Amino acid sequence: MSTNRDGHIRLTSHPGHRTPGRFPIRWGAPTARERGPVIGTVNAGPDRNAIGAHGGSYALYRALAVSSGALNPIARPDLHDTSPVVDIGPFPQWGEAKSIVSLDPWGHRVAEDFKTEIAEGIDIRPTIAITKARLTVPEFDTVVGKGLLKVDGDIVHESGDVAVTKAAIDPVWYLPGIAERFDVSEDKLRRTLFEQTGGMYPELVTRPDISVFLPPIGGMTLYIFGDPASLGNPKKTLACRVHDECNGSDVFGSDICTCRPYLVHGIAECIREAQNGGAGLIVYNRKEGRALGEVTKFLVYNARKRQPGGDQAATYFERTECVAGVQDARFQQLMPDVLHWLGITRIDRFVSMSNMKYDAIVGSGIDIVERIPIPDGLIPDDAKVEMEAKKAAGYFTPEGAPTPEELKATVGRNLRDF
């Protein structure tokens, strides 16, 4: 807490304006110790070297737990036996400051790389966790029953469950890199972040010496099929779908869009690639409603359905822009970072029709060999407006992707009979 020239109290999580900390961050350094730990815990005092707090939006629930007395505000996690179940990296991309700017590539190794500092009482926390699990996808009962996926006892079990390695990743933004990625000045980025969060983080504008920000947003989950070591191995083939969250479809099966059918199709393609000796990867981003949010999304649904003539492809994006002010706020510039974190240099089968995603990945230096569209038979009737609108707007380019006839003729790839 400090007082400004007008005598008003200014709250800040970083006491001692611009006082050099013990743990400077050197983004893009070749090792975790040279890079330095990201410390965003509110009880770290002058050791804090990041703006914001660990856990993103969940920090607010933590605040409720503290305020209600359910959580001790100085409680620290016991990281014993929480280490990743498989090793990821390091890869050359981790030491390239421009390749990864929206997550901490060393975030899963905190307990190992900084065990001395943690033992001394410094509150350093992981921003990535890696575990193993099984998925149950109801649609696969039909797929396995028709022989479109095989039970191998390793990836797909007799019960129909699918074995995966999964990773949860919280966002960690390196502000100079974020600004460069979006081709804006760092000062403008900081000022806009400060203003658009209602002044929640004054250090964005008062502490230009602190370069790392833990934004209050959702992160992502990775689902890896097959050996995770194959992801960064150029001798192995890789199928990948980058999927942006759609709770209504993904979880509850709403038929107004193609999200769940395309997600299930992507999972099936990933499993198949893993069973053929390669690997599969689903990147699931928390970007509900094109990163506009579910409230905005539902408002747009109403506006689309109530316009004269009903829901129409010609006004699909127009109605979104009328409500939200922008057609799409996902801006895929940051999306390839996680692929670089995994050491990926080539995607053999990219299960997506999005030009935005394709262009972002290829533009970041990762090759894409083939693009896999969603089969026509998987598109719900109510979602055909979406597909027609995207096609008319140039949202995706079918050229180079297999035609429905080619898909049908390709053994084991036709999933249109779900």
Side-chain angles (χ1 to χ4, degrees):
M1 181 181 298
S2 61
T3 304
N4 63 19
R5 296 177 184 175
D6 300 323
H8 295 104
I9 293 175
R10 178 173 60 84
L11 296 177
T12 174
S13 58
H14 296 273
H17 183 60
R18 301 195 185 187
T19 302
R22 291 194 295 164
F23 301 100
I25 292 178
R26 301 178 180 89
W27 201 266
T31 69
R33 297 201 63 81
E34 290 176 89
R35 202 288 308 277
V38 173
I39 307 175
T41 42
V42 296
N43 56 14
D47 289 332
R48 275 174 57 85
N49 59 11
I51 301 167
H54 283 295
S57 58
Y58 291 100
L60 302 180
Y61 290 103
R62 189 165 59 243
L64 289 177
V66 170
S67 66
S68 66
L71 175 64
N72 185 335
I74 62 172
R76 300 188 180 189
D78 179 356
L79 298 178
H80 181 69
D81 282 341
T82 64
S83 59
V85 297
V86 297
D87 292 328
I88 299 290
F91 295 104
Q93 294 95 317
W94 294 16
E96 299 169 0
K98 295 185 178 182
S99 291
I100 302 174
V101 299
S102 61
L103 61 92
D104 177 6
W106 307 95
H108 57 307
R109 296 166 46 106
V110 163
E112 172 188 353
D113 292 332
F114 300 105
K115 59 184 177 182
T116 300
E117 288 79 4
I118 292 173
E120 292 174 354
I122 300 170
D123 195 354
I124 306 171
R125 303 189 183 186
T127 56
I128 301 175
I130 305 171
T131 189
K132 289 191 175 183
R134 289 192 184 186
L135 301 182
T136 300
V137 182
E139 290 92 332
F140 283 1
D141 289 343
T142 301
V143 177
V144 172
K146 292 187 175 184
L148 297 174
L149 281 179
K150 60 186 178 181
V151 174
D152 58 14
D154 181 23
I155 298 173
V156 180
H157 297 270
E158 288 288 347
S159 62
D161 291 348
V162 180
V164 295
T165 300
K166 61 181 185 179
I169 302 176
D170 281 340
V172 178
W173 287 6
Y174 177 57
L175 292 172
I178 297 283
E180 183 175 356
R181 192 76 63 87
F182 282 87
D183 195 26
V184 299
S185 69
E186 184 183 347
D187 180 68
K188 180 178 180 180
L189 173 67
R190 285 172 172 268
R191 172 62 60 178
T192 306
L193 287 170
F194 171 73
E195 292 172 348
Q196 294 301 313
T197 56
M200 286 177 64
Y201 303 99
E203 293 87 1
L204 285 167
V205 292
T206 64
R207 294 298 302 270
D209 56 309
I210 299 177
S211 61
V212 171
F213 177 43
L214 306 178
I217 60 175
M220 71 184 79
T221 311
L222 310 183
Y223 295 88
I224 302 168
F225 303 84
D227 184 359
S230 298
L231 295 175
N233 184 348
K235 296 181 180 180
K236 299 287 187 176
T237 56
L238 173 64
C240 173
R241 172 158 179 80
V242 177
H243 189 91
D244 294 329
E245 177 184 27
C246 177
N247 183 65
S249 179
D250 295 342
V251 179
F252 293 99
S254 171
D255 65 352
I256 198 171
C257 62
T258 60
C259 294
R260 180 176 176 87
Y262 216 157
L263 176 60
V264 173
H265 179 50
I267 292 172
E269 293 296 328
C270 287
I271 293 171
R272 184 173 297 107
E273 202 67 42
Q275 289 182 328
N276 289 337
L281 170 67
I282 298 290
V283 179
Y284 193 88
N285 290 301
R286 297 316 191 282
K287 295 180 180 178
E288 180 65 65
R290 299 190 196 133
L292 298 169
E294 203 164 36
V295 170
T296 296
K297 182 179 184 178
F298 287 8
L299 294 174
V300 171
Y301 284 168
N302 288 345
R304 283 169 47 192
K305 298 284 188 178
R306 289 170 176 166
Q307 62 186 339
D311 202 3
Q312 304 168 42
T315 56
Y316 179 88
F317 288 108
E318 177 187 330
R319 299 313 298 153
T320 301
E321 190 165 0
C322 286
V323 175
V326 64
Q327 294 182 3
D328 195 325
R330 285 174 293 179
F331 306 117
Q332 302 290 351
Q333 288 95 325
L334 302 178
M335 175 267 292
D337 286 18
V338 69
L339 304 177
H340 291 294
W341 176 66
L342 293 167
I344 293 171
T345 58
R346 186 189 71 244
I347 298 172
D348 297 275
R349 306 182 69 240
F350 185 50
V351 191
S352 173
M353 300 164 75
S354 167
N355 283 348
M356 289 175 64
K357 294 175 183 176
Y358 175 88
D359 292 343
I361 292 171
V362 172
S364 77
I366 297 173
D367 293 330
I368 292 179
V369 179
E370 180 184 12
R371 297 167 72 175
I372 308 299
I374 183 172
D376 289 341
L378 296 185
I379 301 173
D381 288 341
D382 206 24
K384 289 180 179 177
V385 169
E386 170 200 351
M387 298 303 289
E388 292 171 5
K390 288 180 176 180
K391 191 179 299 183
Y395 187 85
F396 55 82
T397 304
E399 289 80 4
T403 65
E405 291 73 23
E406 291 170 332
L407 275 173
K408 188 173 182 179
T410 303
V411 177
R413 290 188 183 176
N414 181 23
L415 304 180
R416 59 181 81 234
D417 293 326
F418 274 6

